[in-house]
Amino acid sequence: MSKKMTIDGNTAASHVAYAFSEVAAIYPITPSSPMAEVADEWSAAGRVNMFGQKLRLAEMQSEAGAAGAVHGSLCAGALTTTYTASQGLLLMIPNMYKIAGELLPTVFHVSARALAAHALNIFGDHSDVMACRQTGFAMIASNSVQEVMDLALVSHLSTLKAKVPFLHFFDGFRTSHEVSKIDAIDYDEMKSLVDMKDIEDFRSRALNPEHPVQKGTAQNADIYFQNRETANKYYEDTPAIVQEMMDKVAALTGRKYHLFDYVGAPDAENVTVVMGSGADAIEETINKMNKEGHKVGVLKVRLYRPFAADAFIAALPKSVKKLAVLDRTKEPGSLGEPLYLDVCSALLEKGMANIKVVGGRYGLGSKEFNPSMIYAVYKNLEQSEPKNHFTVGIYDDITNSSLDFSEQYNAAPAGTISCKFYGLGSDGTVGANKNSIKIIGDHTDMFAQGYFFYDSKKSGGITVSHLRFGKTPIQSSYLIDAADFIACHNPSYVTRYDMVSDLKEGGKFLLNAPWTTVEELDKNLPAKVKNAIAKKHAELYVIDAISIAGKLGLGGRTNTILQSAFFLINEDIMPYADARDFMKKMAYKSFAKKGDAVVNMNYAAIDSAEANLVKVDYPAAWATVAEGAPMMEVRGTEYYKDTVHPILVLEGDKLPASKFSADGTVPTGTTQYEKRGVAVKIPKWIADKCIQCNQCSFVCPHAAIRPAVNAVGADKPASYETKPMTGLAGYEFRMQVSPLDCMGCGVCANICPSKEKALEMVPFASLVEEENVNYEYSKTLPETDLSKFKKETVKGSQFCQPLFEFSGACAGCGETPYVKVITQLFGDRMVVANATGCSSIYGGSAPTCPYTKNKAGHGPAWANSLFEDNAEFG
Ligand code: SF4
Ligand code: SF4
């Protein structure tokens, strides 16, 4: 009987790679890093591969070095692997030619990712792997976590037999980070499929002084060309070898794969050709379309290189008249993207040019690819002259390439339970949801899928977890837009994000908030939210997890309480009593090392849900009510309102191409309008204790607390307390916090050197309104000549305007105060060449820019090149 595992795609790939490898030479890059991390952990824990050896893992100085080490290790006869993505993979290309040229068997596992072009993007597409199609590596695509397990095995078995190296890829984040319940293959089963003669043959070709040979010579015009052609037969043999290995895996697992797998109506006229996770979403969509009377199909490409044209033609239904070839990459200036060109060539060479072929781009940088978009692709094929070189999933109002996908098409099979959770980065929501998937996946007969969306803040940003559970395997490789259950883990989100519109009729909405009565909810929920809840006849639940966590001593860790509330509300997934026991077992496993007190605290958090969850009996009048809390006010430039704000409220997908500059350039100074308001506590200034040293301002990582100076007698708000300015007669001093930009780290209060602290951290809600008025007033104060306070001093520097403010860095970041003070000293004449890393993310993540301008319009100009070349770039 097969063993079930609830794991992500990276772990599935690493599980297989570990079995077959003696050496892994690596360099970490998102989203492939977890493959190396788990392999490192397994090795440290003494896990052995199928030959009874521990993996030797070596981290090199770059991906170029990793590929060089793989090449050397293979030459020495060690079974070797690596894991990479994006421009990291591109750094390996020079060595990939060498490895393939020398017919060295290996598998590179790639969580395929977009390439940095006009902007960096860490998410999934095929731009990186497509840049390797000419290296001589065979290429196999996996479309789901299960396929990663199965086709990683096919890749390792095939490379040993074929001698051609393999690149096994799957979609970054969508598959690499999707948690899914799959059938695992253990190492003894894998070993039973290995032909040991293949391994002996590999070892016999290793460099060895006992039977020395020379490799990698320099050849001239007389012999290089014909020698290059000698490897042809290995590539000709590879497709059959891959099919043989697919058959072996099928015999073991029952899961059948072919070089190309056709799914759909046997008499389909309109067919798509695709590889990667989009294939599953297409299969799910066409299953529904065919039931409705359409005759459509999809051809999934498993082995992309060598491209087996005969197998491709054989897999197509005889009835096909039109093909839409979907590429998840862009090759500017080409006649078409790579898979489209391959399909055109195959049809032409095989005398089948009568089939109409169009090509389209989709899903770049993890752009959503859902059933409505897929439906639009088939609708396009139904036209007598379908659009060619189209895009789908965006609105291209510049070159008009995009297909209209406004017709909603829901393809998720009945019976799947879809759940969405809105959390705050680092609040534990994602971790708790991963636990829930494991509990449900491991202890029910349901299939489970989890996918996690993060924004680009280092912490304190929004996370949206998408969880699905169902009795049949889940093929929905796209975000949930019709949920049975939605949880809002942060009360401030109700006035920021449109969460309820994705709730199904009769769905369940859980809110973590202090408002547990109808009266309180009436006042604090916007009218739009109340209307949607009532019109959908939703069940509304509230729990004040923040107060409960505070009372239990858990601080801001509300995740366990909310996880327990989720299970309590969703007993149709599993009985709550069982879920509670499993949660407690997990809590024990996680916290036993920290002692009984911590374990008991978490037990109490789990138990608290039953007593504190409130089901709200809201009035039917909510359906039409017009009063309620106002939605967040949007202030800023036109660019901010039209382009930045929609992205911040998760509506960036709706922005048309014309909103963006062609070269990716964006205005600076936009974090000032963001007003995140995420601090739990903010500093309250106690004037009579302050010694005006400005140290608090100096250390603030977010430039959220600044000295403000006004002339004596200025017309101030009543709450704007000041004290006489030391060293400047006729002026007054105040230390002013921007409450909505403060992250609540407390660093300012900690550093305050006053005998009795002049800053006290107080609850956000108790001070925000008053301090916001004061902060807005402080911004209107006229400039004062403070040149007598030397700007080279701690105190004097803080009277200069920071030209780096309110970044997305973590609360309490130790790096950003230095960046800030540099801009205070030199910012109006600074050009920054920012190395890739934390500072390029908090300093340059769309949509807002923390570098800003002074009143003259001068400020830092900023750019980032690549991880490996910043010194040269700058
Ligand atoms: S709490 Fe942190 S972010 Fe807020 S003002 Fe103080 S140092 Fe700045
Ligand atoms: S660190 Fe304390 S004493 Fe110094 S300026 Fe800030 S609040 Fe005043």
Side-chain angles (χ1 to χ4, degrees), residues 684-687 689-697 705 707 733 735 748-749 751-759:
K684 180 179 170 62
W685 184 57
I686 306 160
K689 293 180 184 162
C690 177
I691 56 170
Q692 300 180 31
C693 66
N694 282 356
Q695 287 192 37
C696 50
S697 171
I705 191 165
F733 175 94
M735 187 52 69
C748 53
I751 197 82
C752 179
S754 181
K755 206 166 166 196
E756 287 179 65
K757 295 270 182 196
L759 291 170

Side-chain angles (χ1 to χ4, degrees), residues 671-744:
T671 49
Q672 61 181 306
Y673 308 118
E674 212 174 336
K675 304 297 168 213
R676 297 163 65 193
V678 294
V680 175
K681 287 185 175 178
I682 54 177
K684 180 179 170 62
W685 184 57
I686 306 160
D688 58 347
K689 293 180 184 162
C690 177
I691 56 170
Q692 300 180 31
C693 66
N694 282 356
Q695 287 192 37
C696 50
S697 171
F698 189 83
V699 299
C700 175
H702 298 276
I705 191 165
R706 304 179 192 183
V709 177
N710 62 274
V712 170
D715 185 15
K716 302 170 292 191
S719 58
Y720 196 87
E721 198 184 349
T722 56
K723 68 186 302 180
M725 175 100 178
T726 307
L728 198 66
Y731 286 89
E732 292 173 328
F733 175 94
R734 175 178 168 83
M735 187 52 69
Q736 181 62 54
V737 67
S738 172
L740 295 172
D741 295 307
C742 169
M743 295 288 287

Side-chain angles (χ1 to χ4, degrees), residues 307 309-310 313 341-353:
F307 196 95
D310 287 328
I313 301 291
L341 294 179
D342 288 325
V343 168
C344 290
S345 298
L347 292 173
L348 197 63
E349 283 195 10
K350 301 295 168 191
M352 298 180 73

Side-chain angles (χ1 to χ4, degrees), residues 724-797:
M725 175 100 178
T726 307
L728 198 66
Y731 286 89
E732 292 173 328
F733 175 94
R734 175 178 168 83
M735 187 52 69
Q736 181 62 54
V737 67
S738 172
L740 295 172
D741 295 307
C742 169
M743 295 288 287
C745 65
V747 171
C748 53
N750 280 346
I751 197 82
C752 179
S754 181
K755 206 166 166 196
E756 287 179 65
K757 295 270 182 196
L759 291 170
E760 181 195 356
M761 297 302 289
V762 299
F764 176 82
S766 66
L767 201 59
V768 58
E769 274 183 38
E770 178 181 312
E771 281 303 293
N772 216 18
V773 171
N774 294 336
Y775 174 68
E776 290 301 328
Y777 170 75
S778 75
K779 289 200 299 183
T780 66
L781 288 170
E783 250 177 66
T784 305
D785 179 9
L786 297 166
S787 53
K788 69 173 289 194
F789 302 98
K790 296 286 171 227
K791 71 178 192 174
E792 299 80 13
T793 64
V794 166
K795 179 167 178 169
S797 67

